[in-house]
Amino acid sequence: MARHPHAEAAPPARVVQAQALRRLVQALVERSGSSPIEAERVAHHLVDADLSGHDTHGVAMLPRYLENLRTGGLVANRELVVVHDHGALVTLDGQAGYGQVIGAQAMALGIERARVHGVAVLGLANSHHLGRIGAYAEQCLDAGLVSIHFVNVVTQPLVAPFGGSDARLATNPMCVGLPMGPALEPLLLDFATSRIAMGKVHEAQRQGRPLPPGAAIDAEGRPSRDPGVMLQEPRGALLPLGAHKGYGLAVACELLAGALTGGLTLHQPRAAGAIINNMLSILVDPERLGTAAHLAAQAHAFADWVKASPPTRESGVMLPGEPEAASRRRRRAEGIALDAATWAGLLAAGSVLGIEDAALLALAEGG
């Protein structure tokens, strides 16, 4: 690392209001060949990830997407394809299209089916990177539905299995969305099954920060806090969340998302830039189950009980989803801070597409 391993992160290169950042990202995606509608949907998803505090899945991903578009790993203007349709059970193919569009289309179909049948099970295969999985749980929550999502990542192996010393898995996220009644924020649990997501490695590298202790090993299997061990050859590996427990959950995500959906599992080396997601989603309508009112009452009682625990930190006890809601309120008011590397990456992407820096700067400033 160029900086001292415990140096503080550099100040942001630029603070951009959400609407201006959406216009900037939309301009880049549209110039790269997407329809205006697709570009708007991708921009909304990426900026919403930043608003939610998930910077690793926000606009910093866009240069990688555009590179995958040039190399054929991502295809613009693709639509969701229904492979098998059995009412409440549907398998789908994303045709390597923008995951932000494909995932939203899949959830819209799942919501429609859950309304009819009370439950829907979706097997989505072959989508380009889906982005922040919590966005799809939020889409279901807006419809009043419970949802559970298992995802695998067909990419370069990144995570060592428990008891192993090299990468054999990816960061395989899972997500749960649960309506908590009108008085509470919905529960939204969205996490990688590795100790940290790979985006956190890139973020640490950009900001000159060390990785958390116990997050990674180098190519020799030794503990390391240097993000470079994941970005330079020979590469190290991330470690699973919660040792054998997170490893077991990662394996379950791999098989549920990569095999049951009709997609692929990660069982051989992949090109470093490739990033295909498969996702198994289960949607449940509490109204059709007959427990919606009971769910709200019990969720409220449980939340009160848990949050009454004497605090050990200033924020006190928070339920999953509350940090994201707080981040959205704060960043809508204060703007989204982009670090120097993220801003430089957006400018570089614009240059490749023939958009001058001044034009992107004008968009960022609300012009």
Side-chain angles (χ1 to χ4, degrees):
M1 295 173 62
R3 300 179 60 190
H4 187 278
H6 296 289
E8 293 185 1
R14 187 163 300 279
V15 176
V16 185
Q17 293 300 315
Q19 190 56 42
L21 190 55
R22 286 192 189 99
R23 287 195 294 268
L24 186 155
V25 172
Q26 183 172 347
L28 290 170
V29 177
E30 192 170 342
R31 178 66 69 90
S32 72
S34 288
S35 69
I37 292 175
E38 177 168 90
E40 189 278 331
R41 289 174 178 169
V42 172
H44 181 86
H45 182 114
L46 293 178
V47 174
D48 190 65
D50 282 309
L51 282 172
S52 301
H54 291 254
D55 299 346
T56 58
H57 286 64
V59 301
M61 290 296 300
L62 185 59
R64 183 174 178 184
Y65 289 178
L66 298 179
E67 178 60 27
N68 284 351
L69 192 64
R70 287 189 288 273
T71 59
L74 165 63
V75 184
N77 302 311
R78 287 294 177 94
E79 296 288 329
L80 186 70
V81 172
V82 175
V83 179
H84 297 289
D85 187 344
H86 298 285
L89 294 164
V90 188
T91 53
L92 307 160
D93 190 309
Q95 302 192 89
Y98 271 107
Q100 291 78 9
V101 175
I102 296 298
Q105 290 176 345
M107 287 310 106
L109 177 60
I111 290 166
E112 174 190 312
R113 298 303 174 87
R115 287 277 184 253
V116 173
H117 302 286
V119 65
V121 180
L122 306 175
L124 172 61
N126 192 33
S127 170
H128 190 260
H129 189 234
L130 286 161
R132 184 176 74 93
I133 305 304
Y136 309 114
E138 288 167 349
Q139 190 176 346
C140 296
L141 286 166
D142 287 343
L145 303 181
V146 175
S147 65
I148 306 170
H149 311 265
F150 302 93
V151 183
N152 84 320
V153 192
V154 183
T155 186
Q156 182 182 34
L158 299 170
V159 182
F162 182 70
S165 61
D166 70 348
R168 300 284 166 153
L169 297 157
T171 54
N172 292 3
M174 76 160 294
C175 179
V176 178
L178 192 91
M180 299 281 282
L184 296 172
E185 293 282 353
L187 183 142
L188 181 64
L189 177 65
D190 179 10
F191 65 97
T193 51
S194 52
R195 174 70 175 78
I196 58 172
M198 188 61 190
K200 291 292 186 184
V201 176
H202 288 287
E203 185 178 71
Q205 182 80 347
R206 289 195 306 267
Q207 298 179 0
R209 294 187 285 103
L211 299 177
I217 54 177
D218 65 17
E220 301 299 321
R222 298 170 300 202
S224 177
R225 299 188 66 189
D226 181 359
V229 302
M230 293 300 302
L231 303 171
Q232 302 159 6
E233 297 295 343
R235 294 176 186 263
L238 299 176
L239 294 176
L241 174 70
H244 64 284
K245 297 176 183 178
Y247 162 63
L249 187 54
V251 170
C253 287
E254 188 70 33
L255 297 175
L256 288 170
L260 186 58
T261 63
L264 294 174
T265 60
L266 184 58
H267 54 264
Q268 60 188 21
R270 296 278 173 173
I275 182 166
I276 291 293
N277 283 152
N278 306 289
M279 178 166 69
L280 180 72
S281 297
I282 303 167
L283 286 61
V284 178
D285 185 347
E287 292 287 351
R288 294 292 300 277
L289 195 60
T291 61
H294 183 77
L295 169 62
Q298 287 295 307
H300 199 290
F302 172 76
D304 286 347
W305 165 255
V306 169
K307 296 179 75 171
S309 178
T312 59
R313 58 181 185 173
E314 185 177 349
S315 62
V317 176
M318 303 181 79
L319 293 176
E322 290 183 336
E324 288 84 352
S327 177
R328 284 192 287 270
R329 289 191 294 269
R330 184 177 66 255
R331 291 187 172 189
R332 284 191 182 113
E334 300 175 0
I336 296 169
L338 303 179
D339 60 48
T342 297
W343 179 245
L346 294 175
L347 294 180
S351 178
V352 170
L353 295 168
I355 303 176
E356 295 183 356
D357 290 1
L360 292 180
L361 181 59
L363 288 170
E365 292 178 345

